[in-house]
Amino acid sequence: MLPTLQQPLRFEPFLRPMVWGGRRIARFLGKNVPPGTRCGESWEVSDHPLHASSLATATGYGITLHQLMEHHRAELFGPAAERHSVFPWLIKLLDADDWLSVQVHPDDVAVLSLCPSERAKTEAWYILDAEPTARIYAGLNPGIGPTELREALNAGKVDACLHAFTPKVGDCVYLPAGTVHAVGGGVLMAEIQQTSDATFRLFDWNRVDAQGKPRALHLDQGFASIHWNQGPIAPVASDHSDQQPLVRCPYFEIERVRWNATPSVGGANRLQALIVTDGYGRFANGEFVMPGDAWILPAALPPTPLALDTPLTGLLCTLP
């Protein structure tokens, strides 16, 4: 077990084939996706029962995030250690080459009765690449309630009920639990979310698998999870500044950062994560930093220089 967490931490990616996935996670971010695999998700940081991330850094290689939670929680979280028995974030890369289902995630109240083995799921998306054909659906259009949505689902016209826009690189989309949403048409993005895999599908675009069977829908649970007053959600576009706040919620605070000189990370006495979206560098211990990396910065990490080979852009996520 690690004697200290006074270093940045990076974990082995966990690649998940998905019917809606593509090859962008390999092509743009260099992940080791097997040939011919349509990879939808790369779980970069996870303490979820489905997958416990293991360290990929030279020091502590193979130690799981769950083990760090058991033995080094105070160093990970600082003063917030007593509030977190599970690591609070699931950090992913997503390639929505085809369409994700129209879906909704439960909030802290709904999950207790609808999916008690899981946790609530509020999330945020940051767009890394997008085709001109890409679309995001986020929030209900005005006047859409349970009756209107159910009629549209039965008619296969649910997209008419949802606010839609074409995403652009640098957009950030905040999706509180209870928001109906979907994405597809060729978009690569980073996702920061609560540690949960609770998803209720409302519509799956009439897709079938190789055996001609559709994926299961969860209409009752989904309707019970929807926040019907959650109207259209617009993205926060990049303002091209060196520091731009993007999301502030009870589960994470996200800002976009751009560094041209040697920055210092850590020293916040709070858990942070750095998701690299562009640029290259290295820490003093020799660990390389590159696009697609998600580095956990423990609360115990002292101010640590990051030597840059190129200007570096990323998302800095902080635990409130």
Side-chain angles (χ1 to χ4, degrees):
M1 191 56 58
L2 287 173
T4 177
L5 288 193
Q6 295 188 352
Q7 58 190 314
L9 307 174
R10 182 174 58 82
F11 297 86
E12 291 282 357
F14 172 54
L15 303 175
R16 299 188 74 191
M18 295 290 186
V19 66
W20 41 264
R23 300 291 301 175
R24 287 176 178 80
I25 287 174
R27 189 165 76 248
F28 285 88
L29 300 174
K31 305 296 179 180
N32 191 23
V33 179
T37 299
R38 295 177 63 86
C39 183
E41 299 182 346
S42 176
W43 289 23
E44 299 295 309
V45 181
S46 168
D47 188 30
H48 190 274
L50 184 62
H51 175 71
S53 293
S54 58
L55 280 172
T57 46
T59 302
Y61 183 85
I63 293 173
T64 67
L65 179 54
H66 193 70
Q67 289 173 312
L68 295 179
M69 287 291 297
E70 290 179 330
H71 299 284
H72 295 277
R73 192 177 307 171
E75 292 170 272
L76 276 172
F77 295 111
E82 293 185 0
R83 294 192 283 116
H84 297 282
S85 59
V86 173
F87 195 80
W89 303 327
L90 180 51
I91 299 176
K92 304 177 183 177
L93 304 170
L94 273 70
D95 177 9
D97 188 60
D98 199 355
W99 287 95
L100 273 71
S101 61
V102 178
Q103 59 190 239
V104 64
H105 307 304
D107 63 17
D108 292 307
V109 175
V111 76
L112 295 176
S113 60
L114 298 174
C115 199
S117 63
E118 279 285 1
R119 288 173 173 79
K121 187 176 176 183
T122 284
E123 60 192 8
W125 295 340
Y126 186 85
I127 308 304
L128 303 174
D129 184 69
E131 297 288 340
T133 56
R135 296 287 277 173
I136 286 178
Y137 294 97
L140 299 170
N141 281 328
I144 300 299
T147 300
E148 291 79 12
L149 184 59
R150 194 173 292 276
E151 289 176 352
L153 288 168
N154 290 336
K157 298 179 179 179
V158 66
D159 50 332
C161 296
L162 305 177
H163 174 66
F165 60 89
T166 300
K168 297 179 176 58
V169 174
D171 282 353
C172 182
V173 185
Y174 173 54
L175 297 168
T179 304
V180 182
H181 61 278
V183 58
V187 57
L188 178 69
M189 58 193 185
E191 178 178 280
I192 302 98
Q193 57 158 93
Q194 291 177 268
T195 294
S196 174
D197 200 37
T199 297
F200 299 133
R201 293 191 201 101
L202 302 173
F203 183 67
D204 201 31
W205 310 104
N206 299 315
R207 248 188 317 234
V208 295
D209 62 19
Q211 288 71 45
K213 296 181 179 179
R215 293 196 296 175
L217 300 180
H218 318 99
L219 296 185
D220 291 341
Q221 300 100 314
F223 270 61
S225 298
I226 293 172
H227 291 187
W228 295 100
N229 60 348
Q230 180 60 74
I233 290 177
V236 177
S238 171
D239 65 6
H240 305 290
S241 64
D242 290 340
Q243 187 173 7
Q244 180 185 6
L246 298 174
V247 177
R248 179 182 290 268
C249 74
Y251 313 107
F252 42 75
E253 298 172 0
I254 304 172
E255 60 180 335
R256 188 184 60 83
V257 294
R258 177 177 172 81
W259 295 321
N260 295 293
T262 298
S264 177
V265 300
N269 198 33
R270 291 195 287 174
L271 175 71
Q272 293 184 307
L274 174 64
I275 304 169
V276 182
T277 60
D278 190 46
Y280 297 84
R282 69 190 69 197
F283 292 112
N285 63 3
E287 296 283 356
F288 286 97
V289 176
M290 61 190 69
D293 281 357
W295 290 90
I296 293 300
L297 311 175
L301 178 70
T304 300
L306 172 56
L308 300 184
D309 299 324
T310 67
L312 188 143
T313 302
L315 304 175
L316 188 62
C317 185
T318 302
L319 186 66

